[in-house]
Structure formats: C-alpha cells, structure tokens
Amino acid sequence: MQKLLIIGAGRSATVLISYILEQARKYNFFVTIADADIALARQKVGDNPNGHAIWLDASKPNDRRDVIGRHDVVVSLLPPQMHLEVAQDCIALGKHMVTAS
C-alpha cells in the first residue's frame, strides 16, 4: 500500500487534504497528516480509515527525516522557506516530493 505524507494542516491545506483522503478511500492508499498542532491534524483526518494524524515539528531535522523516511510521497504544505529542507531530505531518502509552491 502506498503511503502519502502531507506535512502541514493549516487553512490552505483543508481542500487538498479532503480531496486526497477521498482518493485514498477510492484507490486504497494511506495518508498521514503531520502538523505541530495534532488536534488540527486529527480534525482534518476525521474518521477516514485511510488517514492518520501525527505530531511533527518540521523544523526538527531528525524528526522530519524519520517521518519522511516512512512514506513514499511527501506533500509539503509548509511555509515556502521550509521547502528546501524537506526537498533535501526527500532527495537523500529517495522520496518523491510535491509542493504547491
């Protein structure tokens, strides 16, 4: 089963998270929503059985790399200044990355 990681559950992420979770049910893949506000991430996942919320402070390199390493594709919805660090981790770990920026 493919594992997708979405880092960032802020306001601009709401529509994308909803869409991805719908697709996860349809195509049978798993989505992890990671955010420093675990309550917000849980709210975005809701009761979708193909989704899971986790706490992540993306500014902590070791924590970020650990989470990225457990997924196949990473969607960074972090502030633009954080994309480079996430991209470098994805390259080092051989992961695909997508960002709206």
Side-chain angles (χ1 to χ4, degrees), residues 10-99:
R11 288 190 335 218
S12 64
T14 302
V15 173
L16 176 67
I17 290 171
S18 294
Y19 175 78
I20 294 294
L21 286 171
E22 287 174 26
Q23 299 306 305
R25 280 186 182 178
K26 186 175 179 180
Y27 295 105
N28 196 32
F29 60 91
F30 194 79
V31 182
T32 301
I33 309 299
D35 198 274
D37 182 346
I38 186 65
L40 180 62
R42 286 182 180 137
Q43 176 187 359
K44 301 289 171 96
V45 171
D47 63 354
N48 190 305
N50 290 71
H52 177 68
I54 63 169
W55 176 88
L56 176 66
D57 180 347
S59 68
K60 294 184 175 183
N62 290 336
D63 293 348
R64 188 181 62 237
R65 288 182 198 122
D66 178 56
V67 172
I68 289 171
R70 292 184 270 134
H71 293 82
D72 302 302
V73 178
V74 177
V75 178
S76 177
L77 297 177
L78 294 167
Q81 65 270 20
M82 293 290 298
H83 293 321
L84 180 60
E85 294 171 7
V86 174
Q88 289 171 332
D89 292 341
C90 288
I91 290 168
L93 295 167
K95 307 298 178 174
H96 298 282
M97 179 186 159
V98 178
T99 180

